Amino acid sequence: MRIICPVKRVPDTAAEKKIDASTNTVDRDASEPVLNANDEWSIEEAMRIKERTDGTEVIALCMGPEAAQTTVRKALSYGLDGAIQVTDDALAGSDAVATARVLAAALADEDFDLIIMGNQSSDARTMLVPAMLAEFLGLPALTYAKRLELSDGKAVADRETPTGHQTVEAPLPAVVSVVEAINEPRYPSFKGIMAAKSKPLASKALGDLEVDAGEVGLEGSRTRVVEITPRPPREAGEKVEDDGSGQVGAQALADFLAAQKLI
């Protein structure tokens, strides 16, 4: 079995996000880049399949600048076997559709049985790329999976919903996106970190994928942010001092909820 794990280089999740005013896109150099946290769940799930299925190979796939190789090596440190990195200056500013198009093109000549990816990235949070990638590849998509099983040439997943979950299945190959509830990611071992430095990493440019540069990047994207309004500063809250009986505080809370038409 061969599993593909798309991964993404994102700004530090804990850092304050900044916007490049000239493009209205996230300034990816404003903070230290990291591996998208959601991808750690998909990597862990792929590694668990690898550990219980003989002959399984797990390959990372990343679209990003040359500097994203650090992110790819981080993904490899979890025990993956190799990686594919798509790097081209023309890709900067690509939206979800353009990203999915490029990832699909990068896999056009690759053999695989399963694609496992995080359900979203921490910088954009569109949650669109998994389904779009499946559409470009002509494959079934099992999204928001909190449980995944493979048997008899098919994938069976519990798909998380607002009220519980749906159990869905699809024949392989398929695209699966996972949520946090699916597992607890491991930490890379020192041996894995050292081994990641020498694992194979194939590099592809836009020209290698037969993708028109006019269909990707900021200018080729189908969506664009036209205006950005800074978040207003947080206002000071109202402090209510109770007399110890609890009645003053309770009445103040009730009045507040009533004023907001919540009760």
Side-chain angles (χ1 to χ4, degrees), residues 205-216:
L206 200 58
D208 301 323
L209 308 182
E210 298 183 1
V211 174
D212 188 339
E215 297 178 317
V216 299

Side-chain angles (χ1 to χ4, degrees), residues 142-149 155-161 164-169 176-179 181-182:
L142 305 180
T143 54
Y144 303 98
K146 67 176 185 177
R147 183 186 68 86
L148 176 65
E149 289 185 3
V156 180
D158 287 344
R159 185 176 188 272
E160 190 173 67
T161 69
H165 72 266
Q166 302 168 332
T167 299
V168 294
E169 65 177 59
V176 176
S177 70
V178 302
V179 297
I182 196 167

Side-chain angles (χ1 to χ4, degrees), residues 238 240 247-263:
E238 180 182 350
V240 177
Q247 295 181 0
V248 175
Q251 185 61 52
L253 177 59
D255 292 342
F256 172 80
L257 293 175
Q260 301 299 318
K261 298 182 178 180
L262 298 174
I263 59 173

Side-chain angles (χ1 to χ4, degrees), residues 37 54 65-66 76 107 116 212 226:
D54 293 339
E66 189 70 31
L76 290 172
L107 295 174
I116 305 180
D212 188 339
V226 296

Side-chain angles (χ1 to χ4, degrees), residues 63-136:
M63 181 184 113
E66 189 70 31
Q69 185 175 140
T70 303
T71 301
V72 177
R73 294 294 179 190
K74 172 64 183 295
L76 290 172
S77 71
Y78 287 90
L80 279 65
D81 300 286
I84 302 167
Q85 182 175 352
V86 182
T87 300
D88 198 297
D89 291 342
L91 296 172
S94 293
D95 66 357
V97 178
T99 298
R101 184 189 303 278
V102 171
L103 294 179
L107 295 174
D109 296 327
E110 298 289 334
D111 293 324
F112 59 88
D113 302 283
L114 183 65
I115 298 173
I116 305 180
M117 57 199 305
N119 68 313
Q120 63 178 318
S121 61
S122 61
D123 55 349
R125 300 189 185 278
T126 66
M127 306 184 194
L128 298 174
V129 174
M132 289 179 172
L133 176 58
E135 179 69 17
F136 278 117

Side-chain angles (χ1 to χ4, degrees), residues 43-60:
I43 290 172
E44 175 65 25
E45 197 63 22
M47 289 303 299
R48 293 187 183 193
I49 295 172
K50 174 182 171 69
E51 289 166 352
R52 64 176 182 259
T53 309
D54 293 339
T56 297
E57 181 184 35
V58 183
I59 303 295

